[in-house]
Amino acid sequence: MPRDHRILGLLALHRVLTIDQLARLDFTSARRAQARLLELVKLELVWRARPPLSGGGTYPTRFTLGYRGACLMTAQLGDKPPRRAAYKHRNDGMLLSPKLRHLLGINDFFTDLAGYHRDHPDLTGPGGQPGGLTLWMPERTAIGQVQALTSEMYARIKPDAYGCFEAEGRAVRFMLEHDTGTEPIATLVDKVLTYYDHVNASRAGIVLFWLPSTTRETHLRAALDRQRHHIEVATAARDHGHPDGPAGPIWAVHQSTGTEYDGSLFRARLHQLPEHGPDAHHHPDLGLPFHQAAVTNTAVMLSPWGEP
C-alpha cells in the first residue's frame, strides 16, 4: 500500500519513530497505526522494540526498519543490501544508544508540526502552494543542506535538523537545535556564536532553539543579551502548554542588544518568524509538499545529501 511505502521511507530517513509519532504522520489513531505496523513487523519490513523502564513498565513502542525493509530501501537507491547479522547489530545499538532520547525529541518536534498540518489542511505557502511542514531533513542531511546553501563546506555547525514550515503565504526555513537540558548555558551560547561565525543566516534560515523549560529559555536569552555580536535566533520552551505545539504562538525572536534581558517578550507563531534562505522546493511531479513527496520516493530526499 502507498502508506506502507511512506512509513518505510520515513523510517529510512529518520531512523526511529514511536507509535505516537507514526500515528500523527499517517493514521487517524494510535490504535490503527499499531494494527498496521504489526502486519509490517510480521513481514520483517519493520522492527519494533519496547525497552523496559528501570522503575517498572516499558517505554512507548519504537519502530525502525526491519531487515527486509532495509533491503527494499537500499534496492531503491541501487545499493547492496546489508548483511542480516550486521543490520541486527546496528538496530540493537541504535535503540540502546544514549543519543536516542535526543533523536526522538527531534522527531517529536517535526511530527507535531505534521500533525498540526493534518488538523489544518488549508495551510498555504507562497504562491498558494500546499503549506504546512514542507521540508524535514535529519541531521546527516541537514548538515549537507546548510553547507550547500552557505558555501561553508568546512563549517563546524551541525544542526540537529533542517526544515521549512509554510502558512498564510509565508515560508520559514530553519535550523533546529533540540536542547535536552544537559549542557551548560555557556555551551548553548557558544553554539549560537558558532552559527553566526560560520553561516550567513540570510542564505540558510533562522536558528531555532527548542528548550525543555521556560526557565532554561529565560537563562539562555539573558546570556545571549550580554553578547556584543549581532545575533538573531528564535527560542521556545516545550513546557509552553499551547495546544498547537511548535506551530503555535510560542516563539520569541532574540536580537542581542548588549544589555540585560528584562523578560519582556513578543511571542509569534512559527510561520510568522523571519523568512531567510532560498525557496523550499516542492516535488515537481507529484505536486506534494517536499517531505511527503520524499517519503513516496526515498531517493528524492537521500540523494545527494547522505545515506539511509
Side-chain angles (χ1 to χ4, degrees), residues 109-110 113 133 135 161-165 172-176 204-208 270:
F109 178 90
F110 283 94
L113 288 179
L133 178 64
L135 187 60
Y162 186 86
C164 181
F165 190 77
V172 173
R173 289 154 289 278
F174 58 85
M175 296 165 281
L176 178 70
I206 191 166
V207 181
L208 304 185
L270 180 57

Side-chain angles (χ1 to χ4, degrees), residues 73-219:
M73 291 294 101
T74 54
Q76 285 189 5
L77 295 170
D79 294 334
K80 292 181 180 179
R83 291 185 296 111
R84 183 182 287 270
Y87 189 74
K88 182 181 185 303
H89 180 73
R90 170 187 174 276
N91 271 358
D92 289 342
M94 181 170 56
L95 291 170
L96 294 174
S97 169
K99 297 180 180 180
L100 182 59
R101 177 184 167 216
H102 184 248
L103 173 60
L104 290 175
I106 296 166
N107 292 347
D108 250 341
F109 178 90
F110 283 94
T111 55
D112 280 345
L113 288 179
Y116 177 82
H117 182 199
R118 292 190 65 192
D119 294 338
H120 302 80
D122 296 333
L123 299 178
T124 57
Q129 295 186 93
L133 178 64
T134 54
L135 187 60
W136 172 13
M137 285 187 170
E139 180 182 11
R140 63 197 185 283
T141 50
I143 293 169
Q145 171 79 328
V146 172
Q147 290 179 351
L149 293 176
T150 61
S151 299
E152 288 281 356
M153 297 310 295
Y154 302 101
R156 291 181 293 133
I157 62 164
K158 295 181 179 180
D160 292 326
Y162 186 86
C164 181
F165 190 77
E166 304 184 32
E168 296 183 355
R170 306 184 85 250
V172 173
R173 289 154 289 278
F174 58 85
M175 296 165 281
L176 178 70
E177 285 289 336
H178 177 86
D179 175 48
T180 59
T182 57
E183 296 178 318
I185 291 294
T187 300
L188 302 190
V189 172
D190 287 343
K191 283 185 179 182
V192 174
L193 297 180
T194 299
Y195 271 105
Y196 282 87
D197 283 343
H198 290 272
V199 172
N200 181 345
S202 65
R203 295 189 64 187
I206 191 166
V207 181
L208 304 185
F209 271 80
W210 185 228
L211 301 145
S213 69
T214 303
T215 300
R216 188 163 170 85
E217 182 189 12
T218 301
H219 290 163

Side-chain angles (χ1 to χ4, degrees), residues 25-42:
L25 288 166
D26 226 330
F27 293 88
T28 56
S29 69
R31 183 169 173 268
R32 288 180 179 273
Q34 190 82 261
R36 185 58 193 165
L37 284 160
L38 180 59
E39 295 300 316
L40 300 182
V41 168
K42 291 177 181 177

